[in-house]
Amino acid sequence: MTELLLLPPELLTRILRNIPGKDLQNVCLSCKQLRDIAYDESIWKRKCEEEYKFKSINGWNVTYRELYHKVLHLYGDLVGLWWRDFKYYGGLMQVKYDSGCIKGVELLAPVSPHVERPLRRKTIFTISLTSSGKIKIISVHSTPCEESPCSIRVEEDKLKGRILEYKGPKHKEESLDQWMEEELGSEEAMDIYRHCYKRRGKSYLSSKHHYRWTPLEVPAPRANVPIQPGLFKGTYSAHGIEILSLDYNTDKTEATATKITGDPNIPATKISVKADLTSTLVLTASQQETLPALLEASESNDQQPPPDTQPFKLPMDCYDRDIQNIPKTCTFRCTALGQIAADRYVNPSFSKAQFVVFDENTFGMIWLELASFSIYSRVKHEDIND
């Protein structure tokens, strides 16, 4: 220890920068000289950035060292995306740094049928410091003035891994009609989606004071694939728009889209789309006039190398649920399977379909046996990293 203290202060500072923040407190207790050096704000700023990706102390009214010990070492690991364990429906939450707080924000699909719109955002909770330096965790209800204490606990589960459990006060009475109006907006949407949303709303409103979440990893970019993996918003008939994660197997012969949010037919965590990338299709516009013509042309396709673009035409007997601006060309097309099931995920099976890539941010599914079409739009980076 004596020899260490003989080193120049700037060299000691460099050494302390390489010690994990959680261990620096013990260094501070060892002697006054090391404590004075370890209190250097540049060290703690670096620890906040390296260990918790924290960049700006604006709004916190504390030092980096105080923020690290009072907030980040307790809650900094929460920052990121989380999937909600909610029967059938799932959910997506972003925990992020905001000015003077850590904020949990629920990310919701846009209102049908506007799949191209950004995700909607609803704040669930905030973590901040009081003027006396104590942790304050509050539940944020539907209006900014409704703030109540809540609890956040992280536990380790042998099967699911890390779990974030949130318990807040039961919300003030909110009518189902009020919830549906907020979710659907227009009278037209109400007429189309009323049945499914009424069921979802009852379940949601009865459980919104208690949440359990597990970490969600966004798939990493891949080389030489028809469309980059990531999160997408997809149209699902009367169920509205749902959020999925698209990724590839190791040898990139299959693409799968797994539901992050789901419905009683195909719940969250279940695969919705399986595309066989080895079974490419090249079709003319005339071969896509009707579903029988499309099926016949697909079955006799000679597996020729796909061009950079080819025509796309939705068969006239294929239902599209009023999807706007369906592209007229595509960059990739192959055979696929789409999962279907009866209510409550009874008798699940995979039906014939076609996977169609329109551009880097959009793909579609023609559900051949259901005579319907779904379109999927990428969740943009700014949607989850604002």
Side-chain angles (χ1 to χ4, degrees):
M1 173 69 80
T2 304
E3 293 178 356
L4 178 66
L5 296 177
L6 293 176
L7 295 173
E10 58 272 18
L11 188 54
L12 283 173
T13 299
R14 186 176 301 178
I15 292 172
L16 295 182
R17 282 177 179 170
N18 293 312
I19 297 175
K22 62 182 180 180
D23 297 325
L24 269 180
Q25 188 64 28
N26 294 329
V27 173
C28 295
L29 298 174
S30 61
C31 75
K32 183 178 183 302
Q33 184 177 345
L34 285 178
R35 184 198 65 188
D36 291 343
I37 295 174
Y39 273 27
D40 188 310
E41 272 290 273
S42 66
I43 293 178
W44 292 104
K45 181 179 180 181
R46 181 169 177 172
K47 293 301 165 195
C48 292
E49 292 176 353
E50 290 179 345
E51 297 180 19
Y52 298 107
K53 298 180 181 179
F54 180 87
K55 296 181 179 179
S56 175
I57 205 167
N58 289 341
W60 285 93
N61 299 319
V62 291
T63 65
Y64 279 100
R65 183 181 66 83
E66 291 172 323
L67 182 69
Y68 185 101
H69 288 291
K70 292 181 177 181
V71 180
L72 296 186
H73 92 283
L74 293 173
Y75 300 105
D77 285 334
L78 300 184
V79 171
L81 290 177
W82 296 77
W83 172 80
R84 185 183 177 191
D85 186 1
F86 180 29
K87 187 176 182 180
Y88 300 135
Y89 302 107
L92 182 63
M93 177 177 69
Q94 174 197 33
V95 179
K96 64 170 190 170
Y97 298 119
D98 206 345
S99 178
C101 71
I102 295 175
K103 183 180 290 186
V105 181
E106 190 170 15
L107 303 178
L108 304 166
V111 176
S112 296
H114 305 290
V115 71
E116 78 287 350
R117 292 182 180 176
L119 296 177
R120 294 174 295 130
R121 312 175 71 85
K122 288 186 179 180
T123 300
I124 301 173
F125 64 81
T126 61
I127 302 171
S128 60
L129 289 171
T130 66
S131 57
S132 61
K134 294 183 178 180
I135 286 285
K136 179 175 71 171
I137 305 175
I138 58 173
S139 170
V140 180
H141 290 193
S142 56
T143 55
C145 60
E146 291 188 54
E147 298 180 350
S148 305
C150 64
S151 67
I152 293 175
R153 183 172 65 93
V154 177
E155 62 181 48
E156 293 293 332
D157 184 278
K158 290 183 179 179
L159 296 177
K160 297 182 178 180
R162 195 155 55 110
I163 293 176
L164 185 158
E165 185 175 65
Y166 159 90
K167 285 187 178 181
K170 290 187 177 181
H171 285 213
K172 291 182 178 179
E173 191 65 29
E174 181 179 0
S175 72
L176 181 59
D177 288 342
Q178 180 183 342
W179 181 86
M180 289 180 64
E181 184 177 350
E182 183 179 336
E183 287 293 304
L184 296 173
S186 69
E187 285 296 326
E188 181 182 4
M190 281 280 197
D191 292 339
I192 296 174
Y193 304 105
R194 180 180 298 277
H195 175 71
C196 291
Y197 271 74
K198 185 176 182 179
R199 183 175 177 182
R200 180 188 299 183
K202 287 180 178 179
S203 191
Y204 184 83
L205 292 173
S206 66
S207 65
K208 62 194 300 184
H209 63 287
H210 187 190
Y211 301 80
R212 287 172 66 86
W213 308 81
T214 54
L216 176 69
E217 294 291 334
V218 176
R222 305 286 291 272
N224 302 317
V225 290
I227 184 171
Q228 282 298 313
L231 301 183
F232 287 80
K233 302 155 287 181
T235 55
Y236 279 88
S237 190
H239 294 297
I241 296 174
E242 297 177 3
I243 303 172
L244 302 92
S245 176
L246 177 75
D247 204 358
Y248 297 86
N249 61 354
T250 304
D251 57 6
K252 294 180 284 191
T253 59
E254 183 179 77
T256 57
T258 304
K259 287 193 173 184
I260 303 301
T261 64
D263 56 69
N265 290 96
I266 306 298
T269 75
K270 303 300 182 183
I271 290 175
S272 176
V273 173
K274 293 199 299 187
D276 181 2
L277 305 183
T278 66
S279 182
T280 57
L281 297 169
V282 179
L283 303 170
T284 65
S286 62
Q287 291 173 318
Q288 304 172 57
E289 290 289 342
T290 65
L291 283 171
L294 179 63
L295 279 166
E296 182 180 354
S298 301
E299 290 172 357
S300 61
N301 205 262
D302 60 4
Q303 289 288 301
Q304 57 186 297
D308 291 337
T309 60
Q310 58 176 299
F312 177 81
K313 183 181 179 73
L314 192 65
M316 62 179 67
D317 47 354
C318 189
Y319 186 48
D320 63 5
R321 184 69 74 169
D322 298 323
I323 297 170
Q324 302 296 312
N325 304 317
I326 297 175
K328 292 181 171 53
T329 60
C330 62
T331 59
F332 181 85
R333 188 171 192 152
C334 69
T335 62
L337 295 172
Q339 187 165 201
I340 58 175
D343 188 50
R344 302 179 187 274
Y345 197 51
V346 172
N347 297 326
S349 62
F350 283 90
S351 65
K352 290 183 179 180
Q354 290 188 3
F355 176 78
V356 184
V357 176
F358 298 111
D359 56 48
E360 191 49 55
N361 295 313
T362 316
F363 71 92
M365 272 280 284
I366 297 180
W367 304 73
L368 299 171
E369 296 176 17
L370 299 181
S372 66
F373 175 70
S374 296
I375 195 164
Y376 302 78
S377 178
R378 186 181 297 278
V379 174
K380 300 293 182 66
H381 178 80
E382 54 267 27
D383 261 5
I384 54 177
N385 294 280
D386 72 331

